[in-house]
Amino acid sequence: KKKTVSFSTMPNDRKINSTAACISFMLEGCELKKVRSNSRMYSRFFVLDADMRSVRWEPSKKDSEKAKIEIKSVKEVRVGKKTPVLRSNGLSDQFPDECAFSIIYGDNYESLDLVASSADVVSAWVMGLRYLVSYGKHTPEAPGTGHPSLRTSWISSVFDLADLQKSGRIPVSRAVQLIKALNPGMKTSTIELKFKELQKASERPGTDVACDLFVEAYCELCTRPEIFFLLVQFSSNKEYLGLKDLLMFLEVEQGMEGVTEEKCLEIVGKYEPSKEGREKGYLAIDGFTRYLLSADCSIFDPQHRKVCQDMAQPLSHYYISSAHSACLLEDNFWGRSDISGYISALGLGCRSIELVLWDGPEGEPVVYTSPSAASCVPFRAVVGLIDQHAFAASAYPLILCLVVRCSASQQRLAAQCLRKTLGEKLYLEPPNPAASYLPSPEQLKGRILIKGKKLPPGCEDSEGEVSDEEEGWELARRLGQEDREAPEGGGPRRVRLSRELSELVSLCQAVPFQDFESSRRGQRYWEMCSFSEVEAGRFANECPAELVSYNKRFLSRIYPSPMRIDASNMNPQDFWKCGCQMVAMNYQTPGLMMDLNAGWFRQNGACGYVLRPAIMREEVSYFSANAKDSLPGVPAQLLHLKVISGQNLPKPKGSGAKGEVVEPYVCAEIHGIPADCAEHRTKTALQSGDNPIFDESLEFQINLPELAVLRFVVLDDDYIGDEFIAQYTIPFECLQPGYRHVPLQSLAGEPLPHATLFVHVAITDRRGGGKGHRRGLAGRRGRRVREYTSTKATGIKAIDEVFRTATQPLREATDLRENVQNALVSFKELCGLTPAANMKQCILTVAAWLLHSDSAPSVTLNLAEQYPPMEAQGPIPDLLRKVLTAYETMIQTSRTLIESADAVYGKLIQAQQAG
């Protein structure tokens, strides 16, 4: 019975799950558009000959012998726009990258450039051709014959274990459970439907299934074509990855360093399900899929799972995870005070908690943050809880922000309670007047700091008057206690403060903010100001550079505007970009802002402290958060993100009466300084079931990588009521390159079991990614105007003259760097790769061309030399000559850079020190 492969009708059946299926598809043939060097496109019917020795196309003006390419003459099959013809300007916008592919053939490396109707068709041709090219010399028998593969025998052995009666059949219900156990996350209904379909097709209805049917169902349900395609690319025999293949994949694609064959054997032992595979060191498709889905292959860099930043800098050099009224579980206005809010905030690594103290009914202070008098919690209970959980998730210092609204007598009780309960943990040492910065988180490990008001130095009494905090009054208004203490004629409110409470405050003394000039002159490093979101927002827009430089020495805390009665959150990035350390968030309110906060604080072992970018810490550095382009001294990076597919996506939670079908699309968002904020979306995957294929490339330029956060959001295009499916937020610095699965989370940040996105990540330090400046290749010949770093005039003649001497070395430095980058991109493009590729991939590609050719010249690479030359003996085809020249240019520009860098750097440092 002839097997057919259908693309258009039921993409969620995903029949392209084996090389055999690709080859049968090519034997039937299909229409592709052929692209000529003059950029015109012609539709032709392409088909693989029955003897599998050549590919032909018709109609053609040539005679039928000429309108074909022999498989044995094929050097390489490239996916995407990777040849000068496909890259040329006239075409690049007419079809997406993933619908194009090229066949490089013949001794002169000619290219046949083709465009297909969908990425699926491209995959089938490319996979089939790559298979035939590897096996040209010993073409496999008709697909499906011969000895059973590693995979089939493993699945059959699973079947045999389940076949308790040894009757050769098992009940459908058990078969469904087996597949579900082997592929968690797959819906039972999907598996049942597949068995019904196969039973009907083979005319074997009933409640039992035989082994061959079980194997077929498993292969159709559990083969992910996009992973199979990857396996075929790296496998030397197209069935599985040997240890050398796996090593190559890990080094070349995943960017792993120091991988050994022992490490690969360990991976095979851990993930390969078949005993035979484990013994022989083979990773077949199921083991490879398991490995790619595992934590060992996560998108989140495992180094960041533990504390990995320098923790010995002053406290003001870190962002500190901060909660606004943490004991609220619902919104501000109707919220119920419930102690569990504190536990969950501390469990998430929160390092700054706010407590508003009120007079309690039994003469003891209480904490409550909701207007109903019934929902108050004794202050003692809250402190007991903090004592228990303060350092459960992080050993670094916890800051308690006290806002006092109770009488002096109850303040004394509060102070006694804090001393008695927290004991040694309380940090009470007076600040060192000789120092100029706060101590570091490392020095304050395990300590609790109290932020609050202090009595003026001259006050000898047991209590005194201090100016009041702005914060916390919105609640008083609702409690009807607003009239007390309101001063006449405006001015700040005054409150009574007891000496006992005042003495608990050491390193975080709350003072009112006047202006930046007064702070620069008079503020001491242990004094800190709180700003309302509105006031801080005004500074961030009007004088961002002053705010950044203020935050180098002093802590600042930003609290939400009292207008947010629904406890919504401000965007923490608006204040982080100006260096504000403590942005108080309503932890109980999920959504984008809380995702950004939670994602951000994951990057340093979730310890609640993240070191701020160097540009915000250095004594002399000029940084304005609202810069529109790349920043001086910070190399911009380019993120190339390919969203390949989604797995087990749930339905939106609140979607109304609609069918089972989700029509998802993915939004990738970058949040950071304004110049970096951007969003791109994929197209919608229609009728794709729970496992949509997107196969789309997105690109972002990132000017301040240390402050950038990448957020994936999966949304439903065909929704009623609710479109949100899932999200995941990750700091840019934590991304791992290569093929990765993104573990999706719900709106509240809980993991969604088995729901993932499969993506490919590449990061280059190249601006524009080699798009607009393709020197030496087809396309525009004009060179891009170089942007040179200039110095900012201070207006003081002597200083400006010193810095002017740096102009020339700055130009030289830019030229050295740009020349190397241009040469690298030219070499990669000639090898048929993108600017995101690495050197190993380029060398492998050239090696593959030479291996697939009988008449190839011998090419040697002399690795004994410091600058390894690549030389060829014998007649050299044109393309290879170009590649060798580009390689030579790349080596020479690198050499010039390596040899001149120290001298140029020396001149720059000299100018800087003189300045």
Side-chain angles (χ1 to χ4, degrees):
K1 197 162 118 222
K2 193 171 171 192
K3 264 200 151 177
T4 60
V5 180
S6 125
F7 282 96
S8 48
T9 49
M10 289 289 283
N12 54 348
D13 254 14
R14 305 187 6 189
K15 282 278 171 54
I16 289 294
N17 58 13
S18 67
T19 340
C22 298
I23 291 172
S24 12
F25 176 70
M26 289 160 64
L27 288 166
E28 285 168 38
C30 75
E31 197 159 288
L32 298 168
K33 288 195 170 71
K34 184 168 175 266
V35 185
R36 291 253 179 98
S37 52
N38 61 7
S39 294
R40 292 179 65 181
M41 298 189 349
Y42 302 89
S43 274
R44 297 285 181 263
F45 188 81
F46 282 76
V47 65
L48 174 67
D49 267 357
D51 61 5
M52 302 196 221
R53 301 257 159 97
S54 48
V55 171
R56 323 181 156 267
W57 58 93
E58 52 198 38
S60 167
K61 292 199 179 72
K62 301 176 181 167
D63 62 58
S64 63
E65 280 312 296
K66 293 250 179 68
K68 70 171 190 183
I69 289 177
E70 292 197 359
I71 298 289
K72 66 170 193 242
S73 72
V74 174
K75 305 282 186 235
E76 188 197 359
V77 186
R78 293 181 190 174
V79 187
K81 302 172 193 171
K82 304 270 176 62
T83 60
V85 171
L86 289 174
R87 279 203 201 98
S88 70
N89 301 342
L91 284 174
S92 51
D93 309 329
Q94 292 187 26
F95 47 86
D97 193 62
E98 56 275 6
C99 287
F101 69 106
S102 306
I103 302 173
I104 312 292
Y105 65 97
D107 291 339
N108 293 326
Y109 294 87
E110 293 162 68
S111 74
L112 172 64
D113 298 299
L114 302 167
V115 178
S117 56
S118 77
D120 279 343
V121 176
V122 173
S123 295
W125 275 96
V126 172
M127 209 178 327
L129 284 166
R130 282 179 179 165
Y131 184 84
L132 292 170
V133 168
S134 306
Y135 282 105
K137 315 262 185 317
H138 38 96
T139 306
E141 299 310 309
T145 59
H147 71 130
S149 70
L150 206 60
R151 186 183 199 194
T152 315
S153 39
W154 166 66
I155 303 165
S156 309
S157 70
V158 171
F159 179 89
D160 294 342
L161 282 175
D163 177 12
L164 304 173
Q165 273 73 42
K166 302 289 170 245
S167 62
R169 304 179 74 72
I170 60 172
V172 172
S173 58
R174 190 175 303 156
V176 171
Q177 282 170 330
L178 267 183
I179 288 186
K180 209 168 159 54
L182 292 170
N183 200 341
M186 189 172 281
K187 285 194 187 137
T188 313
S189 55
T190 313
I191 308 173
E192 287 169 346
L193 192 69
K194 175 58 68 188
F195 277 120
K196 281 198 183 112
E197 219 176 87
L198 292 174
Q199 283 179 322
K200 191 175 172 202
S202 62
E203 293 165 6
R204 290 188 283 177
T207 53
D208 290 350
V209 263
C211 184
D212 60 335
L213 203 105
F214 179 75
V215 171
E216 191 177 350
Y218 178 86
C219 291
E220 291 201 4
L221 287 165
C222 304
T223 311
R224 287 177 41 193
E226 69 278 28
I227 291 184
F228 183 70
F229 190 53
L230 197 57
L231 180 124
V232 168
Q233 230 173 306
F234 279 87
S235 161
S236 38
N237 75 339
K238 307 301 171 209
E239 284 292 326
Y240 50 77
L241 297 174
L243 295 180
K244 284 200 165 54
D245 301 334
L246 181 57
L247 190 133
M248 195 72 86
F249 171 74
L250 296 176
E251 282 200 327
V252 171
E253 276 305 334
Q254 303 300 83
M256 283 168 69
E257 284 169 14
V259 192
T260 58
E261 288 204 9
E262 289 75 45
K263 172 75 187 153
C264 295
L265 197 56
E266 210 178 289
I267 290 175
V268 172
K270 194 168 166 188
Y271 297 105
E272 172 54 43
S274 71
K275 187 159 176 265
E276 187 192 345
R278 289 196 297 273
E279 285 165 0
K280 295 184 175 167
Y282 297 155
L283 196 60
I285 178 72
D286 299 287
F288 188 43
T289 306
R290 285 180 184 188
Y291 170 63
L292 286 175
L293 277 165
S294 72
D296 289 345
C297 214
S298 154
I299 188 166
F300 190 91
D301 185 341
Q303 287 181 341
H304 289 271
R305 290 210 179 100
K306 43 188 190 297
V307 175
C308 56
Q309 296 176 343
D310 174 8
M311 299 304 282
Q313 302 270 345
L315 209 54
S316 59
H317 284 358
Y318 298 85
Y319 295 112
I320 304 173
S321 174
S322 308
H324 186 222
S325 27
C327 69
L328 275 175
L329 281 185
E330 296 303 319
D331 57 51
N332 266 340
F333 206 63
W334 311 114
R336 309 178 307 281
S337 284
D338 173 350
I339 299 199
S340 63
Y342 289 116
I343 303 179
S344 69
L346 289 168
L348 291 166
C350 174
R351 295 286 84 196
S352 159
I353 280 181
E354 170 197 39
L355 301 173
V356 187
L357 303 185
W358 298 89
D359 277 333
E362 266 106 58
E364 249 196 88
V366 293
V367 171
Y368 57 101
T369 41
S370 82
S372 68
S375 65
C376 58
V377 182
F379 179 63
R380 219 174 8 158
V382 176
V383 176
L385 202 83
I386 288 172
D387 180 50
Q388 256 177 306
H389 297 274
F391 301 106
S394 165
Y396 293 101
L398 173 69
I399 300 171
L400 295 184
C401 304
L402 293 189
V403 181
V404 178
R405 297 270 175 268
C406 61
S407 62
S409 61
Q410 296 208 3
Q411 289 174 31
R412 285 188 197 99
L413 288 173
Q416 287 160 15
C417 167
L418 284 164
R419 274 181 191 272
K420 190 175 157 203
T421 315
L422 302 176
E424 290 291 292
K425 294 179 189 155
L426 264 188
Y427 184 90
L428 301 171
E429 289 131 57
N432 172 7
S436 46
Y437 279 100
L438 288 159
S440 69
E442 192 55 52
Q443 291 166 305
L444 296 168
K445 251 185 171 172
R447 306 303 289 269
I448 294 177
L449 279 55
I450 304 288
K451 169 198 173 273
K453 293 284 179 188
K454 258 182 118 57
L455 290 173
C459 171
E460 297 292 323
D461 303 332
S462 65
E463 56 184 70
E465 275 208 343
V466 290
S467 66
D468 189 14
E469 299 261 9
E470 273 303 295
E471 214 177 337
W473 276 111
E474 61 268 33
L475 192 62
R477 294 191 191 102
R478 301 178 199 166
L479 285 164
Q481 298 185 355
E482 164 173 45
D483 44 296
R484 59 171 208 169
E485 313 286 355
E488 288 172 20
R493 279 194 178 83
R494 312 288 294 169
V495 290
R496 304 291 294 169
L497 179 65
S498 82
R499 173 167 295 288
E500 282 95 325
L501 206 53
S502 166
E503 282 170 352
L504 297 181
V505 175
S506 158
L507 291 178
C508 298
Q509 185 184 337
V511 295
F513 178 77
Q514 257 94 39
D515 55 64
F516 290 119
E517 191 48 48
S518 320
S519 295
R520 196 161 55 232
R521 280 211 223 93
Q523 190 170 337
R524 290 167 305 201
Y525 73 84
W526 61 84
E527 296 177 330
M528 63 174 287
C529 301
S530 290
F531 302 89
S532 88
E533 155 191 8
V534 177
E535 185 182 19
R538 196 177 72 242
F539 292 143
N541 287 329
E542 291 170 12
C543 39
E546 275 98 328
L547 190 50
V548 169
S549 105
Y550 170 86
N551 284 323
K552 282 180 188 175
R553 277 191 59 200
F554 309 117
L555 286 176
S556 58
R557 179 172 185 276
I558 316 296
Y559 57 89
S561 148
M563 301 310 284
R564 295 184 181 272
I565 60 168
D566 57 350
S568 59
N569 274 309
M570 47 193 170
N571 184 344
Q573 284 273 5
D574 291 345
F575 307 103
W576 289 340
K577 70 180 186 194
C578 296
C580 300
Q581 298 87 347
M582 302 159 76
V583 182
M585 304 293 284
N586 287 308
Y587 269 60
Q588 70 278 15
T589 311
L592 164 64
M593 304 313 171
M594 208 47 224
D595 291 346
L596 291 176
N597 193 70
W600 180 250
F601 282 105
R602 259 187 223 129
Q603 67 183 291
N604 190 22
C607 76
Y609 284 82
V610 166
L611 190 61
R612 298 183 317 173
I615 202 167
M616 293 185 185
R617 304 193 308 264
E618 289 157 0
E619 279 283 358
V620 181
S621 67
Y622 171 79
F623 167 67
S624 163
N626 297 338
K628 289 283 175 281
D629 196 19
S630 55
L631 303 164
V634 183
Q637 307 228 302
L638 207 74
L639 170 64
H640 310 260
L641 186 65
K642 186 171 192 186
V643 182
I644 304 169
S645 60
Q647 290 71 46
N648 305 315
L649 300 180
K651 273 179 62 177
K653 265 221 166 63
S655 64
K658 53 168 276 192
E660 280 298 296
V661 184
V662 190
E663 299 200 334
Y665 62 96
V666 179
C667 265
E669 310 165 345
I670 293 284
H671 298 265
I673 59 169
D676 291 345
C677 291
E679 174 185 324
H680 295 313
R681 59 158 286 180
T682 65
K683 50 187 179 300
T684 302
L686 300 169
Q687 298 290 322
S688 60
D690 313 319
N691 303 308
I693 298 264
F694 300 104
D695 223 359
E696 214 162 321
S697 303
L698 314 171
E699 202 172 89
F700 298 92
Q701 176 168 319
I702 296 176
N703 298 296
L704 185 54
E706 290 174 280
L707 253 196
V709 175
L710 169 65
R711 182 170 186 257
F712 293 94
V713 195
V714 188
L715 299 164
D716 184 5
D717 220 354
D718 172 39
Y719 67 98
I720 301 170
D722 179 16
E723 58 174 347
F724 178 88
I725 295 174
Q727 63 86 21
Y728 182 73
T729 309
I730 179 171
F732 180 78
E733 300 273 290
C734 299
L735 285 171
Q736 291 219 90
Y739 288 93
R740 305 283 171 189
H741 279 93
V742 177
L744 295 172
Q745 299 179 338
S746 69
L747 193 58
E750 268 112 42
L752 294 167
H754 312 299
T756 50
L757 283 179
F758 187 45
V759 299
H760 181 266
V761 176
I763 295 166
T764 52
D765 52 1
R766 166 77 198 218
R767 300 194 38 209
K771 280 239 169 66
H773 26 96
R774 242 172 267 118
R775 296 187 302 105
L777 289 176
R780 292 197 292 273
R781 297 253 167 210
R783 285 187 57 176
R784 172 170 71 98
V785 181
R786 277 199 182 156
E787 292 173 26
Y788 291 104
T789 306
S790 55
T791 49
K792 193 175 163 67
T794 59
I796 304 164
K797 192 173 172 211
I799 293 180
D800 286 344
E801 277 176 4
V802 173
F803 280 127
R804 205 165 290 133
T805 62
T807 311
Q808 192 47 39
L810 278 172
R811 286 185 76 91
E812 286 172 39
T814 306
D815 285 338
L816 287 169
R817 190 183 66 235
E818 291 274 321
N819 291 346
V820 170
Q821 289 183 341
N822 283 335
L824 270 170
V825 169
S826 294
F827 177 60
K828 289 173 186 176
E829 289 189 341
L830 279 164
C831 291
L833 297 166
T834 66
N838 57 40
M839 250 330 98
K840 286 183 176 155
Q841 289 163 317
C842 297
I843 301 295
L844 278 176
T845 303
V846 177
W849 294 348
L850 299 166
L851 288 175
H852 289 155
S853 166
D854 301 329
S855 59
S858 77
V859 176
T860 54
L861 191 57
N862 184 355
L863 294 174
E865 294 195 24
Q866 190 189 353
Y867 300 101
M870 197 193 289
E871 289 157 350
Q873 281 80 40
I876 309 179
D878 192 35
L879 178 71
L880 197 57
R881 182 179 285 107
K882 281 184 185 163
V883 169
L884 292 173
T885 314
Y887 175 83
E888 182 57 26
T889 312
M890 179 186 74
I891 293 288
Q892 287 312 325
T893 52
S894 302
R895 181 176 186 162
T896 315
L897 180 132
I898 293 166
E899 290 169 358
S900 338
D902 289 348
V904 175
Y905 182 67
K907 286 184 208 163
L908 288 171
I909 292 296
Q910 206 179 340
Q912 187 188 10
Q913 285 170 346

